[in-house]
Amino acid sequence: MENLQQDTSQEIVRLDAINKRFGDTEALKSLTMSIREGEFVTFLGPSGCGKSTTLRILGGFETPTSGRVIVNGEDVTKLPPNRRKVNMVFQDYALFPHMTVRRNISFGLELKGLSKSQIVQRCDELMGFLELSAYADRLPDQLSGGQRQRVALARALAPDPALLLLDEPLGALDAKLRGQVQAELKSIQRRTSKTFFFVTHDQDEALTMSDRIVVMNKGVVEQDGTPEELYFHPSSRFVAEFVGETNLIEGHVDTVSGSDVTLDWRGLKLAGRPPVSGGLEAGSNVAASIRLEGLKLSLDKPEDQPNSVSVRVSGRTFKGSRTELDLQVESAPEISMRAYVDTALAEELGEAPVWASWSQEAMAVLRD
Amino acid sequence: MTRHTRLVMSMIYWAFVLYIFVPLALMVMMGFKDSKFIGFPIRSWTLEWYIGVFGNSEVMSAFGYSMVIGITSTLISLFVGVWIAVLLNGRGFVGKGVIYGLTLLPALIPGIISAISFRIYAQLWGVPPGTGAIIWCHAVHNVPFVVLIVSARLGTLPKSYLDAARDLGADPLIAFMRVTLPYLRPALIGGSVFCMLISFDDFVRSFFLGGYQPTLPVLIFAKLRSGMSPEINAIATVVLVLTALLGIWAERTTRRLKKGY
């Protein structure tokens, strides 16, 4: 919310207390957020979290039950899609099958009433930019998945929208191509300095491409921040589990002061960081998240780490240069943890108990 | 499948082919017979009957008349049929089922019943028998086929195509004209050919609602009353060839279009 006020000059889209109901289900509950010019914003969440509904409301395909959509300072809540300066890349690309690549890209330009020469020029420009020039006269049917995706992108960029919506556009691509296209998409966004609003359920995609990620769950925003913030400082259990992999431990708050929290976990005092949003009370039951790579393993008890616990290695999964270890806490074998270690180190560790330790920085205490 | 059953199956197939094509072959052969009477043996062959058909102004004008009726009624049923199909494929509304049922009804009513009803109805409204009445009756009869064929295609139109068109600045009408209609092209071509053939083939409705000018089937019927002659076989053969060519063309075109290019 602080960001909102600071950057209103650059604000390009604002969603203002959006509610959306479908019958008895509330798809969105009082969603308020703003998007700044040139940002790559990702809406991330499981299916049914309201991310696609938000996208369709921005595109004009759904009308919110209440609330306002503001684009470039203009209230567009009631405007149909054809009268909004917002374009969309559809999940299935929705290229018109009877039109060539060039005609598909020209479609929006023709409807904008540009002259023939302007259309040809803009079209050539985009096809050159997206490396489609060689396919100008092909039909969508005669293109590969990656090419189709680029045509869909070119078609949506052609009318020069204030905001580009992308509805899981990588879902139809195979895993290998997807990584390549992610990088491409990010670079296209940088070079065009367009505002991208990307919707996905894939946290990898979100982490790779976004300037900012909005994690949605059950119609409300769980957390809104940069990929690094989300990964290292998740503020809720949902975010910690949904973004990346993590160890969750449950304890209760012993003391809170500023940016230090002491957690009482099975008699051990552990040091961690409070969530950005604050709101911890001493004595309350909470969960804390420690990333797999945040756990260090050693044979001797490390003196410089505030948190350490004795564990046994109960399983190993080889992952190339590193190995994922399954750990059992010695004093409580029903609690298991996971850690990434160098494969070389993993081989040194035997059956005997070892020490798992982590820094205060590595443990994020969550508001539950 | 064993070799034995395969043999039996192929025999049944060929028997069926013979059953269908022998009468047609006989009909075609008789059109080339150099004699006034139909029947074997054929002692000498001639093209005289064909030359006669193309030179016969009565036959040619009946053919032209049938074409005019076919084309006009097809255009009307296409317009009405597409409109109803779009309506029925859209969002639900009260009475949708009833409209669907009523739309299909003309295809199910026996020709003779519908012809008589139309005749009475036309009289009631003071519509004189003739071209208008025939076209009207054919168009009504053909609408259900257009609706069925177009609906089937419309059902496969991804909703995102229309969303994309709207997104890129098209209002609903432009989206329909520039995305839906081109997508429907195979169905429109298939549907028109189907309507044309039905209209061209129709005897009962044209007979009941016609005025003095005969359509081709009505003319053939009139000629039959004065006795069978190879001339009729020649007419029938020409019609057969034309309709078969039209059918094959439509089939190939729609198949190509459905693939998207």
Side-chain angles (χ1 to χ4, degrees):
Chain A
M1 287 304 280
E2 292 84 346
N3 285 348
L4 277 186
Q5 263 106 50
Q6 280 165 16
D7 287 317
T8 38
S9 58
Q10 293 180 3
E11 176 185 273
I12 205 150
V13 175
R14 191 161 84 239
L15 294 174
D16 195 9
I18 301 280
N19 282 291
K20 179 68 183 174
R21 312 178 135 273
F22 293 106
D24 283 340
T25 45
E26 274 187 290
L28 291 173
K29 294 171 208 161
S30 164
L31 173 71
T32 297
M33 70 167 298
S34 89
I35 300 169
R36 289 181 297 278
E37 194 165 5
E39 251 190 326
F40 195 129
V41 181
T42 299
F43 255 48
L44 174 67
S47 57
C49 71
K51 58 186 193 299
S52 300
T53 307
T54 312
L55 185 93
R56 292 185 66 78
I57 285 174
L58 280 168
F61 301 107
E62 300 280 358
T63 321
T65 312
S66 68
R68 292 185 311 157
V69 182
I70 296 173
V71 177
N72 271 341
E74 185 198 356
D75 186 342
V76 299
T77 318
K78 298 257 155 56
L79 285 189
N82 48 316
R83 291 178 51 200
R84 294 187 181 198
K85 270 191 68 97
V86 170
N87 289 122
M88 175 129 121
V89 176
F90 289 81
Q91 191 165 16
D92 60 352
Y93 310 143
L95 299 178
F96 305 128
H98 57 286
M99 295 183 197
T100 60
V101 168
R102 178 182 287 282
R103 299 263 297 127
N104 261 289
I105 300 173
S106 308
F107 192 89
L109 299 171
E110 286 165 24
L111 290 169
K112 263 185 114 180
L114 296 189
S115 74
K116 270 217 171 91
S117 59
Q118 279 174 311
I119 293 176
V120 170
Q121 194 196 342
R122 176 91 178 121
C123 210
D124 285 340
E125 190 184 299
L126 279 162
M127 285 194 297
F129 179 60
L130 291 166
E131 289 162 40
L132 287 166
S133 306
Y135 312 107
D137 298 319
R138 295 233 190 135
L139 289 165
D141 218 39
Q142 302 160 313
L143 300 175
S144 72
Q147 289 163 349
R148 267 182 237 179
Q149 201 252 358
R150 292 210 298 278
V151 177
L153 197 59
R155 185 178 69 175
L157 284 171
D160 196 25
L163 175 70
L164 190 76
L165 307 173
L166 300 106
D167 186 8
E168 308 210 17
L170 309 184
L173 304 176
D174 57 61
K176 209 167 185 181
L177 193 57
R178 204 179 303 177
Q180 185 193 331
V181 173
Q182 280 173 15
E184 250 175 47
L185 208 55
K186 180 69 198 162
S187 111
I188 288 164
Q189 191 263 338
R190 283 223 186 92
R191 283 186 287 161
T192 53
S193 55
K194 279 273 157 221
T195 315
F196 276 35
F197 183 92
F198 190 91
V199 158
T200 185
H201 63 269
D202 184 324
Q203 45 109 1
D204 264 341
E205 236 165 66
L207 291 174
T208 317
M209 294 189 289
S210 324
D211 296 325
R212 187 171 139 217
I213 300 175
V214 179
V215 182
M216 296 281 291
N217 185 28
K218 295 181 187 148
V220 294
V221 175
E222 282 279 337
Q223 195 173 353
D224 178 345
T226 65
E228 292 78 11
E229 273 169 20
L230 249 61
Y231 189 81
F232 294 112
H233 311 275
S235 63
S236 71
R237 175 192 287 256
F238 179 82
V239 176
E241 286 188 305
F242 197 77
V243 180
E245 294 196 72
T246 200
N247 293 298
L248 282 182
I249 58 173
E250 317 232 357
H252 56 265
V253 180
D254 193 41
T255 58
V256 197
S257 69
S259 60
D260 300 311
V261 189
T262 320
L263 199 66
D264 189 329
W265 182 63
R266 310 184 141 259
L268 278 174
K269 297 276 188 271
L270 304 177
R273 283 176 303 95
V276 187
S277 50
L280 288 184
E281 277 174 44
S284 60
N285 286 321
V286 289
S289 148
I290 309 150
R291 294 289 174 197
L292 271 60
E293 61 277 13
L295 279 183
K296 304 275 176 271
L297 293 181
S298 54
L299 296 171
D300 305 314
K301 184 169 178 167
E303 295 306 322
D304 54 338
Q305 295 283 23
N307 309 311
S308 55
V309 58
S310 175
V311 297
R312 252 175 223 282
V313 177
S314 62
R316 291 157 211 261
T317 313
F318 176 66
K319 298 209 163 165
S321 65
R322 61 184 190 177
T323 294
E324 188 185 315
L325 296 180
D326 293 324
L327 307 170
Q328 265 179 340
V329 177
E330 267 239 293
S331 58
E334 74 278 8
I335 296 181
S336 56
M337 294 175 122
R338 286 176 302 153
Y340 286 135
V341 294
D342 282 348
T343 297
L345 175 65
E347 278 163 11
E348 277 175 39
L349 302 171
E351 296 301 311
V354 291
W355 289 94
S357 58
W358 61 96
S359 65
Q360 177 184 3
E361 187 64 16
M363 184 165 82
V365 180
L366 310 170
R367 80 179 140 72
D368 218 48
Chain B
M1 211 162 33
T2 65
R3 180 186 275 188
H4 183 71
T5 55
R6 204 177 305 162
L7 187 73
V8 173
M9 295 293 273
S10 73
M11 273 168 62
I12 293 173
Y13 171 76
W14 285 110
F16 187 67
V17 169
L18 282 180
Y19 171 75
I20 289 175
F21 284 101
V22 166
L24 283 177
L26 283 178
M27 182 204 73
V28 172
M29 276 163 69
M30 291 304 163
F32 293 98
K33 187 184 177 188
D34 188 8
S35 151
K36 258 190 177 303
F37 301 100
I38 288 175
F40 286 107
I42 300 175
R43 289 186 212 288
S44 67
W45 304 83
T46 178
L47 281 175
E48 191 190 317
W49 299 112
Y50 282 88
I51 296 163
V53 166
F54 286 107
N56 186 332
S57 66
E58 196 186 24
V59 173
M60 291 322 280
S61 95
F63 180 81
Y65 188 52
S66 279
M67 289 297 285
V68 168
I69 287 172
I71 291 169
T72 320
S73 66
T74 297
L75 289 177
I76 296 172
S77 10
L78 272 188
F79 186 82
V80 178
V82 169
W83 186 58
I84 295 179
V86 169
L87 189 75
L88 290 176
N89 276 271
R91 58 175 71 194
F93 54 88
V94 182
K96 191 167 170 174
V98 177
I99 290 189
Y100 188 69
L102 283 176
T103 305
L104 297 189
L105 203 58
L108 304 173
I109 294 174
I112 184 85
I113 309 281
S114 101
I116 293 171
S117 325
F118 265 101
R119 178 72 196 227
I120 296 169
Y121 193 52
Q123 222 146 25
L124 210 67
W125 285 95
V127 178
T131 317
I134 299 178
I135 289 174
W136 171 48
C137 185
H138 281 192
V140 170
H141 181 242
N142 283 339
V143 163
F145 302 110
V146 176
V147 172
L148 285 175
I149 294 171
V150 169
S151 289
R153 179 75 176 158
L154 211 49
T156 68
L157 172 70
K159 202 185 164 291
S160 62
Y161 287 7
L162 291 181
D163 281 350
R166 296 297 310 277
D167 188 60
L168 291 163
D171 61 30
L173 182 67
I174 293 176
F176 176 78
M177 300 298 286
R178 297 199 47 185
V179 176
T180 310
L181 271 189
Y183 187 82
L184 290 180
R185 243 177 90 192
L188 297 180
I189 292 175
S192 336
V193 168
F194 200 71
C195 290
M196 276 295 295
L197 294 181
I198 293 177
S199 166
F200 200 79
D201 177 57
D202 177 76
F203 169 75
V204 184
R205 291 176 182 82
S206 308
F207 185 75
F208 273 80
L209 290 159
Y212 295 107
Q213 198 178 1
T215 64
L216 195 62
V218 174
L219 181 74
I220 294 174
F221 178 72
K223 279 180 172 292
L224 276 177
R225 284 204 288 196
S226 58
M228 198 70 187
S229 97
E231 187 193 18
I232 293 171
N233 294 61
I235 299 172
T237 305
V238 171
V239 171
L240 177 73
V241 170
L242 285 180
T243 51
L245 286 179
L246 187 64
I248 291 168
W249 172 79
E251 165 65 19
R252 291 178 63 110
T253 317
T254 51
R255 198 183 302 177
R256 187 172 55 84
L257 283 175
K258 273 183 191 168
K259 276 198 245 154
Y261 48 90

